[in-house]
Amino acid sequence: MFERPQSGERAVLVQASPDGLPDDSEREEFAELARSAGALIAAELVSSRRRPDPRYFIGKGKLDELRQLIASNDAELVICSAALSPSQERNLERELRCRVLDRAGLILDIFAQRARSFEGKLQVELAQLKHLSTRLVRGWTHLERQKGGIGLRGPGETQLETDRRLIGHRIRQLNERLEHVDTRRTMNRRNRVKAEIPTVALVGYTNAGKSTLFNALTDADVYVQDQLFATLDPTVRRLDLPEGRHVVLADTVGFVRDLPHELIAAFKSTLQEAREADLILHLIDASDPNRWQRVRQVNSVLKQLDAEQVPQIRVYNKIDKLDRKPRITNNRAGEGRAVWLSATTGEGLSMLKDAIAKRLQQETLHRVIHLLPAQGKQRAILFELGAVLKEQVLEEGGWMLELKMTEKDLRRFLKRENLAAEQLEPLPMKPSATAANE
């Protein structure tokens, strides 16, 4: 029986792909993932098989080569870039006599290290347990069957059943807690909608500079580090725009190629900010030679979240590395489609704010609304929204208010407060009506 060691970070990376040899960018990204988890890369093995071996994923020759690399480098850990089945992972551990992780397990470990908030820790634990639940089958080889002889009769498969039951119970507990957290997050989103405050979600490939840009725009103090998944916990801050407008800017977890499905499911409430946003800022590392591949991968995750229809502004960051000047490109409607900037130096930030304001700007309407004496609540809401330009108290009771609101906000207000469109007039107040209030 092989007992997994509890420590050891010297690792051999197995760069394996069922689709052929991994390219340089894929190999470097996986190596960076390993370093982000704290691994010390001792050696690297590249393997390609059109049909992965069902038992070990890699072939017998590569298995012998991997065994020699482990021995010559005193490695204690093997990390495979491909997704391993539970049986393949277990067979490799038995043959190599060391811990074996695949890509999903590595990313889960990084998330476990970086989560700081209560919600983030719950989400990571849930993803880890779902991943672990698939790897329990016959994991306790010393208890896998009844053994004969005095002192050798054991509980058999009972231990596996107990583990499954405990993990299932814990998963249900975590789901219940996350439902409460999601309820609070949903209430916060509803309050922002009620207050007519637009939400802008910041998404992008991991290490594209999201936290740096978030801090530069909002004067926040989010942790920044040049590593993959430096921050996981969602952050929401107020962003002031030109002409006194403001929006809510929501930072989200970074995306990566082949993000484990367990993580997408666990972080669904966090990523919900992207789906419910009025606008998405898609941050792209302009200095990355594979940036178009990264863009496709981010859009693929957004599609899984049903957020591909949300309007986007592409933000090309790190132009300071390319010695380029900040600029903005517009779409046919004259709205900002892409902004080139540097979050580190601050160049182009004002262009981005202008582009956000313009994309969120809608046609402003001037209307007069008649409110009955019983509609004092609606009058107070309009004042809270800052939509009232002038007011006149009517002799028969009630009020006549001159409003300045966007068409979208006005429609939403009427629908939410169950007001009839007949209470609106398209023309501003008459001079005789406004004079009484001046």
Side-chain angles (χ1 to χ4, degrees):
M1 180 189 66
F2 168 66
E3 293 288 348
R4 303 183 81 190
Q6 300 300 313
S7 61
E9 307 301 337
R10 288 183 60 81
V12 174
L13 302 188
V14 178
Q15 300 276 8
S17 173
D19 303 321
L21 289 173
D23 59 36
D24 292 340
S25 65
E26 291 177 352
R27 292 174 57 181
E28 179 55 35
E29 179 185 278
F30 185 66
E32 186 61 31
L33 278 173
R35 286 189 287 266
S36 296
L40 302 175
I41 302 175
E44 183 179 317
L45 176 69
V46 180
S47 174
S48 173
R49 288 179 63 94
R50 293 190 178 276
R51 294 184 178 179
D53 184 83
R55 191 172 184 183
Y56 300 112
F57 188 87
I58 58 177
K60 291 289 184 67
K62 288 293 183 181
L63 183 63
D64 292 337
E65 186 179 345
L66 179 57
R67 189 182 292 110
Q68 293 174 7
L69 283 175
I70 294 171
S72 60
N73 291 279
D74 295 324
E76 304 133 313
L77 174 66
V78 170
I79 309 177
C80 183
S81 63
L84 300 176
S85 69
S87 61
Q88 288 171 339
E89 186 176 306
R90 190 167 51 252
N91 291 336
L92 284 172
E93 285 189 341
R94 187 180 293 116
E95 287 292 326
L96 301 174
R97 315 295 294 178
C98 69
R99 285 179 297 147
V100 175
L101 276 180
D102 65 355
R103 181 185 179 86
L106 176 64
I107 294 177
L108 287 170
D109 185 83
I110 296 173
F111 273 53
Q113 294 180 42
R114 306 283 162 75
R116 293 291 180 267
S117 69
F118 174 72
E119 180 185 7
K121 291 178 180 178
L122 289 180
Q123 290 169 327
V124 170
E125 184 181 353
L126 177 61
Q128 285 181 312
L129 288 176
K130 287 182 176 179
H131 183 72
L132 178 63
S133 64
T134 65
R135 280 155 166 72
L136 282 178
V137 182
R138 298 188 62 181
W140 292 63
T141 55
H142 61 299
L143 298 175
E144 66 184 3
R145 60 183 178 272
Q146 295 281 355
K147 296 183 178 181
I150 297 175
L152 295 179
R153 296 180 178 87
E157 296 289 341
T158 304
Q159 182 64 54
L160 289 176
E161 295 171 359
T162 301
D163 288 345
R164 291 193 190 103
R165 185 166 54 253
L166 291 174
I167 287 178
H169 178 68
R170 180 59 178 166
I171 287 176
R172 286 192 295 273
Q173 282 186 328
L174 292 173
N175 279 324
E176 290 174 0
R177 292 185 181 181
L178 284 172
E179 283 180 6
H180 293 305
V181 174
D182 189 37
T183 300
R184 290 198 298 269
R185 187 180 293 279
T186 301
M187 290 178 62
N188 290 336
R189 279 196 294 266
R190 288 176 179 173
N191 289 336
R192 293 199 297 267
V193 171
K194 186 175 181 180
E196 313 295 342
I197 301 176
T199 300
V200 179
L202 186 58
V203 305
Y205 208 80
T206 183
N207 208 28
K210 288 194 299 86
S211 296
T212 303
L213 179 61
F214 188 85
N215 289 341
L217 289 173
T218 65
D219 295 325
D221 192 23
V222 175
Y223 176 71
V224 176
Q225 187 65 33
D226 185 16
Q227 60 185 12
L228 303 186
F229 301 118
T231 54
L232 295 180
D233 300 317
T235 309
V236 177
R237 292 289 187 274
R238 170 173 163 163
L239 170 61
D240 294 323
L241 298 177
E243 299 181 2
R245 297 187 62 192
H246 63 272
V247 299
V248 170
L249 183 63
D251 192 12
T252 61
V253 63
F255 299 157
V256 73
R257 182 175 58 86
D258 298 330
L259 194 65
H261 293 294
E262 296 93 344
L263 280 176
I264 294 178
F267 280 78
K268 193 172 183 179
S269 62
T270 302
L271 297 173
Q272 187 86 350
E273 294 289 353
R275 189 170 71 177
E276 300 292 338
D278 297 284
L279 178 66
I280 288 178
L281 300 184
H282 183 169
L283 191 65
I284 303 166
D285 183 353
S287 64
D288 187 351
N290 298 293
R291 60 177 180 267
W292 297 118
Q293 182 181 355
R294 307 286 186 249
V295 168
R296 288 193 296 269
Q297 288 154 358
V298 170
N299 287 332
S300 175
V301 177
L302 290 175
K303 187 174 182 179
Q304 294 181 52
L305 298 170
D306 297 324
E308 73 273 19
Q309 299 301 325
V310 179
Q312 279 192 25
I313 294 178
R314 289 186 177 179
V315 182
Y316 294 89
N317 189 25
K318 304 184 182 182
I319 61 171
D320 50 301
K321 293 185 177 181
L322 302 174
D323 196 24
R324 289 189 179 182
K325 296 296 183 182
R327 62 187 176 91
I328 184 171
T329 57
N330 297 324
N331 57 21
R332 293 180 178 179
E335 300 170 327
R337 180 179 62 87
V339 179
W340 297 70
L341 55 76
S342 171
T344 302
T345 65
E347 292 181 291
L349 290 182
S350 59
M351 291 183 180
L352 177 59
K353 290 183 178 180
D354 290 337
I356 295 173
K358 198 164 187 178
R359 287 296 292 268
L360 294 175
Q361 184 179 11
Q362 302 176 61
E363 183 183 359
T364 301
L365 302 179
H366 280 82
R367 294 291 185 268
V368 172
I369 187 170
H370 294 266
L371 294 179
L372 302 175
Q375 293 175 326
K377 174 186 173 184
Q378 287 73 20
R379 170 184 175 274
I381 292 175
L382 288 171
F383 272 98
E384 289 177 4
L385 295 176
V388 180
L389 296 180
K390 296 179 181 179
E391 178 189 31
Q392 178 188 357
V393 180
L394 302 176
E395 294 182 0
E396 62 275 16
W399 306 269
M400 187 163 60
L401 307 177
E402 183 180 348
L403 307 178
K404 183 179 180 182
M405 299 178 70
T406 64
E407 184 178 3
K408 178 182 176 182
D409 291 344
L410 185 55
R411 287 179 180 175
R412 185 159 39 183
F413 168 76
L414 293 174
K415 182 178 179 181
R416 188 179 65 239
E417 300 301 327
N418 197 24
L419 295 178
E422 290 75 15
Q423 293 181 251
L424 289 174
E425 290 183 5
L427 299 175
M429 281 185 172
K430 298 175 183 179
S432 58
T434 59
N437 191 53
E438 293 177 349

